[in-house]
Amino acid sequence: MKRILLSLSFVFLAFSFSVAQISVTITDGIDNQAVKAKMERSIAAILNEINAAQAADRNLNFAAMGVNTRVQQSMAMLWENTPFMCTDDEIVEHCITTGTGYQIRNIPLMMKPTATRAFNEEEYQEAVISFDRQGEVESFYLSISMNLYMNVIKSNLELTDLRRRQMILDYVEQFRTAYNQKDIKFLEQIYSDDALIITGKVIMQRHIENDRMVTSQKIQYNKQSKQQYLTNLRRIFQNARYFKVLFDDIEVMRHPVNPNFYGVTLLQGWTNNSYHDEGYLFLLWDFTNENAPQIHVRTWQPDRIGGKPLPKDEIFSLSDFDI
């Protein structure tokens, strides 16, 4: 009996620490075969280490990934908030050429709890890994879905605007990932010093109608400075065991007069261990300095009021702000 139990124990341990190796194939979109092969090896190394760390309930070993310090810091913050694993043994994807290099999107991840980092539920998300022209990893972010990405890219085929739209989507994904990482430093950099922050909340109001007391809902808006907003956000980050931001229904509009300004409207899902809401997020981006774009306006509105969807003409957009 002891031998049988001992054998079963070894089988269980072998199963627990046996992690299938992930293979990566880039089908097309890049002609340089040496860079292509380098990118395939890098993605495989990153994903295999992620899965090994998840299986062993430990921190990431960046030496096994071969990524730079900036990527290490970004992934470590994301891992601390919501550990994850790659759900496929084989990644076969198209390469997207950007203004500075390449991207591989649609990398499937399952955000998973571990013994030491617990959150409420597993959830499917996708990652995007960006590379420079030499095939060196530049970033690892949680991505918007591929259909949303392509809808924005295809909405205007003017070459200059297409390049800007790729940049905007890249920064939107960095912006979203920064919240999931609780990365206050990045948010301090991306918001301009004079940024206008507007947050709406639904409140109840009462009034007399036909000699009767009637209760209805309206949205009350609160303005904050950048420092007020970030101070409140720091407190939220400190009190939240985990944090999750999702984006959907993205729309990008270029300013008709100043081509450096873009309005981005998203449907945002915001969740932590004690709170959840959904609403419309509007961001006014300034790409005058493409190496350091900034957000001048951030607004949030609930997506429903009085049980009905918020009317489209009440959703903040580019035309609501003077530039």
Side-chain angles (χ1 to χ4, degrees), residues 15-31:
F15 176 78
S16 298
F17 292 97
S18 175
V19 181
Q21 292 296 291
I22 298 171
S23 65
V24 178
T25 302
I26 299 174
T27 56
D28 56 359
I30 179 171
D31 295 327

Side-chain angles (χ1 to χ4, degrees), residues 1-15:
M1 177 62 75
K2 288 183 179 180
R3 287 182 179 178
I4 293 174
L5 291 175
L6 188 61
S7 298
L8 288 173
S9 297
F10 280 119
V11 169
F12 174 77
L13 288 172
F15 176 78

Side-chain angles (χ1 to χ4, degrees), residues 26 39 43 93-95 102-105 107 127-129 131:
I26 299 174
M39 290 166 58
I43 297 170
E93 285 297 335
H94 168 77
C95 177
Y102 309 99
Q103 279 188 348
I104 304 299
R105 306 183 66 86
I107 298 173
V128 51
I129 301 178
F131 300 83

Side-chain angles (χ1 to χ4, degrees), residues 29 137 149 153 166 187 207 216 265 275:
V137 178
Y149 179 91
I153 292 299
Q166 285 183 314
L187 296 173
H207 62 277
S216 61
T265 304
Y275 179 76

Side-chain angles (χ1 to χ4, degrees), residues 142-180:
L142 299 179
S143 65
I144 61 174
S145 66
M146 191 63 177
N147 65 315
L148 291 176
Y149 179 91
M150 293 309 299
N151 285 344
V152 172
I153 292 299
K154 291 179 178 179
S155 62
N156 191 310
L157 297 180
E158 181 185 341
L159 183 59
T160 302
D161 196 43
L162 174 61
R163 179 177 60 83
R164 277 280 176 85
R165 286 168 184 264
Q166 285 183 314
M167 290 180 62
I168 289 167
L169 290 171
D170 184 55
Y171 273 100
V172 164
E173 288 174 333
Q174 291 185 56
F175 179 77
R176 176 203 165 195
T177 303
Y179 280 89
N180 285 276

